[in-house]
Coordinates of all heavy atoms in Angstrom, one line a residue:
E128 N -14.0 -3.0 -5.2 CA -14.5 -2.9 -3.8 C -13.5 -3.7 -2.9 O -13.1 -3.2 -1.8 CB -15.9 -3.4 -3.6 CG -16.5 -3.2 -2.2 CD -17.9 -3.6 -2.1 OE1 -18.6 -3.6 -3.2 OE2 -18.4 -3.8 -1.0
A129 N -13.1 -4.9 -3.3 CA -12.2 -5.7 -2.5 C -10.9 -5.0 -2.4 O -10.2 -5.0 -1.3 CB -12.0 -7.1 -3.2
M130 N -10.4 -4.3 -3.4 CA -9.1 -3.6 -3.4 C -9.2 -2.4 -2.4 O -8.3 -2.1 -1.7 CB -8.7 -3.2 -4.8 CG -7.3 -2.5 -4.8 SD -5.9 -3.5 -4.2 CE -5.7 -4.6 -5.6
A131 N -10.3 -1.7 -2.5 CA -10.5 -0.6 -1.6 C -10.5 -1.0 -0.1 O -9.9 -0.3 0.7 CB -11.8 0.1 -1.9
G132 N -11.1 -2.2 0.2 CA -11.1 -2.7 1.5 C -9.7 -3.1 2.0 O -9.2 -2.8 3.1
F133 N -8.9 -3.7 1.0 CA -7.6 -4.1 1.3 C -6.7 -2.8 1.6 O -5.9 -2.8 2.5 CB -7.0 -4.9 0.2 CG -5.5 -5.0 0.2 CD1 -4.9 -5.9 1.0 CD2 -4.7 -4.1 -0.5 CE1 -3.5 -6.0 1.1 CE2 -3.3 -4.2 -0.5 CZ -2.7 -5.1 0.3
N134 N -6.9 -1.8 0.7 CA -6.1 -0.6 0.9 C -6.2 0.0 2.3 O -5.3 0.5 2.9 CB -6.5 0.4 -0.2 CG -6.0 0.0 -1.6 OD1 -5.2 -0.8 -1.8 ND2 -6.6 0.6 -2.6
S135 N -7.5 0.1 2.7 CA -7.7 0.7 4.0 C -7.0 0.0 5.1 O -6.3 0.7 6.0 CB -9.2 0.7 4.3 OG -9.5 1.2 5.6
K136 N -7.0 -1.3 5.1 CA -6.3 -2.1 6.2 C -4.8 -2.0 6.0 O -4.0 -1.9 7.0 CB -6.8 -3.5 6.2 CG -8.3 -3.7 6.5 CD -8.7 -5.2 6.5 CE -10.2 -5.3 6.8 NZ -10.6 -6.7 6.7
K137 N -4.3 -2.1 4.8 CA -2.9 -2.2 4.5 C -2.2 -0.9 4.8 O -1.1 -0.8 5.4 CB -2.6 -2.6 3.0 CG -1.2 -2.8 2.7 CD -0.7 -4.0 3.5 CE 0.8 -4.4 3.2 NZ 1.3 -5.5 3.9
L138 N -2.9 0.2 4.5 CA -2.3 1.5 4.8 C -2.1 1.8 6.3 O -1.1 2.4 6.7 CB -3.1 2.6 4.1 CG -3.2 2.7 2.6 CD1 -4.1 3.7 2.1 CD2 -1.8 2.9 2.0
E139 N -3.0 1.3 7.0 CA -2.9 1.4 8.5 C -1.7 0.6 9.0 O -0.9 1.0 9.8 CB -4.2 1.0 9.2 CG -4.1 1.0 10.7 CD -3.7 2.3 11.3 OE1 -3.9 3.4 10.7 OE2 -3.1 2.3 12.4
A140 N -1.6 -0.6 8.4 CA -0.5 -1.5 8.8 C 0.9 -0.8 8.4 O 1.9 -0.9 9.1 CB -0.6 -2.8 8.1
L141 N 0.9 -0.2 7.2 CA 2.1 0.4 6.8 C 2.5 1.7 7.6 O 3.6 2.0 7.8 CB 2.0 0.8 5.3 CG 2.0 -0.4 4.3 CD1 1.8 0.1 2.9 CD2 3.3 -1.2 4.4
R142 N 1.4 2.3 8.1 CA 1.7 3.5 9.0 C 2.5 3.1 10.2 O 3.4 3.8 10.7 CB 0.3 4.1 9.4 CG 0.5 5.4 10.2 CD -0.8 6.0 10.6 NE -1.4 5.2 11.7 CZ -1.1 5.2 13.0 NH1 -0.1 6.1 13.4 NH2 -1.6 4.5 13.8
Q143 N 2.2 1.9 10.7 CA 2.9 1.3 11.8 C 4.3 1.0 11.5 O 5.2 0.9 12.4 CB 2.1 0.1 12.4 CG 0.7 0.3 12.8 CD 0.6 1.3 14.0 OE1 1.4 1.3 14.8 NE2 -0.5 2.0 14.0
Q144 N 4.6 0.8 10.2 CA 5.9 0.4 9.8 C 6.9 1.6 9.7 O 8.1 1.5 9.6 CB 5.9 -0.3 8.4 CG 5.3 -1.6 8.4 CD 6.3 -2.7 8.9 OE1 7.4 -2.5 9.1 NE2 5.8 -3.9 9.0
N145 N 6.3 2.8 9.8 CA 7.1 4.1 9.7 C 8.0 4.1 8.4 O 9.2 4.2 8.5 CB 8.0 4.2 10.9 CG 7.2 4.5 12.2 OD1 6.1 5.0 12.1 ND2 7.8 4.3 13.3
L146 N 7.4 3.9 7.3 CA 8.1 4.0 6.0 C 8.8 5.3 5.7 O 8.2 6.4 6.1 CB 7.2 3.6 4.9 CG 6.5 2.2 4.8 CD1 5.7 2.1 3.6 CD2 7.6 1.1 4.9
S147 N 9.9 5.3 5.0 CA 10.6 6.5 4.6 C 10.5 6.7 3.1 O 11.0 7.7 2.6 CB 12.0 6.5 5.1 OG 12.1 6.5 6.5
G148 N 9.9 5.8 2.4 CA 9.8 5.9 0.9 C 9.1 4.6 0.4 O 8.8 3.7 1.1
F149 N 8.8 4.7 -0.9 CA 8.2 3.5 -1.5 C 8.6 3.4 -3.0 O 8.6 4.4 -3.7 CB 6.6 3.6 -1.5 CG 5.9 2.3 -1.5 CD1 5.4 1.8 -0.4 CD2 5.9 1.5 -2.7 CE1 4.7 0.5 -0.4 CE2 5.2 0.3 -2.7 CZ 4.7 -0.2 -1.6
I150 N 9.0 2.2 -3.4 CA 9.4 1.9 -4.8 C 8.3 1.0 -5.4 O 8.1 -0.1 -5.0 CB 10.7 1.2 -4.9 CG1 11.8 2.1 -4.2 CG2 11.1 1.0 -6.4 CD1 13.2 1.4 -4.2
F151 N 7.6 1.6 -6.4 CA 6.4 0.9 -7.0 C 6.8 0.2 -8.3 O 7.8 0.5 -9.0 CB 5.3 1.9 -7.4 CG 4.6 2.4 -6.2 CD1 4.7 3.8 -5.9 CD2 3.7 1.7 -5.5 CE1 4.0 4.3 -4.8 CE2 3.0 2.2 -4.4 CZ 3.1 3.5 -4.1
K152 N 6.0 -0.9 -8.7 CA 6.2 -1.5 -10.0 C 5.5 -0.6 -11.0 O 4.3 -0.3 -10.9 CB 5.6 -2.9 -10.0 CG 5.6 -3.6 -11.4 CD 7.0 -3.9 -11.8 CE 7.0 -4.3 -13.2 NZ 7.0 -3.2 -14.2
S153 N 6.2 -0.2 -12.0 CA 5.7 0.7 -13.0 C 4.5 0.1 -13.8 O 4.5 -1.1 -14.0 CB 6.8 1.1 -14.0 OG 7.3 0.0 -14.7
R154 N 3.5 0.9 -14.1 CA 2.4 0.6 -15.0 C 1.5 -0.6 -14.5 O 0.7 -1.1 -15.2 CB 2.9 0.3 -16.4 CG 3.6 1.4 -17.1 CD 3.8 1.2 -18.6 NE 4.7 0.0 -18.8 CZ 6.0 0.1 -18.7 NH1 6.6 1.3 -18.5 NH2 6.7 -1.0 -18.9
S155 N 1.7 -0.9 -13.2 CA 0.8 -2.0 -12.6 C -0.5 -1.4 -12.3 O -0.7 -0.3 -11.8 CB 1.5 -2.5 -11.4 OG 0.6 -3.2 -10.5
P156 N -1.6 -2.2 -12.6 CA -3.0 -1.7 -12.3 C -3.2 -1.5 -10.8 O -4.1 -0.7 -10.4 CB -3.9 -2.8 -12.8 CG -3.1 -3.5 -13.9 CD -1.7 -3.4 -13.4
S157 N -2.4 -2.1 -10.0 CA -2.5 -1.9 -8.5 C -1.4 -1.0 -8.0 O -1.6 -0.1 -7.2 CB -2.4 -3.2 -7.8 OG -1.3 -4.0 -8.1
C158 N -0.1 -1.1 -8.5 CA 1.0 -0.4 -7.9 C 1.6 0.7 -8.8 O 2.5 1.4 -8.3 CB 2.1 -1.4 -7.6 SG 1.8 -2.5 -6.2

């Protein structure tokens, strides 16, 4: 539940950043 709440806020913040791509850490439970 805490991660879901974080995701909601963080995704809005990242929308403001105008990302052009994302590089994730492989096999991470979050990323």
Side-chain angles (χ1 to χ4, degrees):
E128 187 174 340
M130 182 61 72
F133 165 81
N134 289 344
S135 179
K136 295 178 181 178
K137 188 64 177 181
L138 292 176
E139 175 56 27
L141 290 177
R142 187 183 69 81
Q143 301 296 330
Q144 290 280 356
N145 290 342
L146 298 181
S147 293
F149 206 106
I150 302 175
F151 289 112
K152 176 66 189 81
S153 61
R154 297 191 299 278
S155 161
S157 55
C158 287

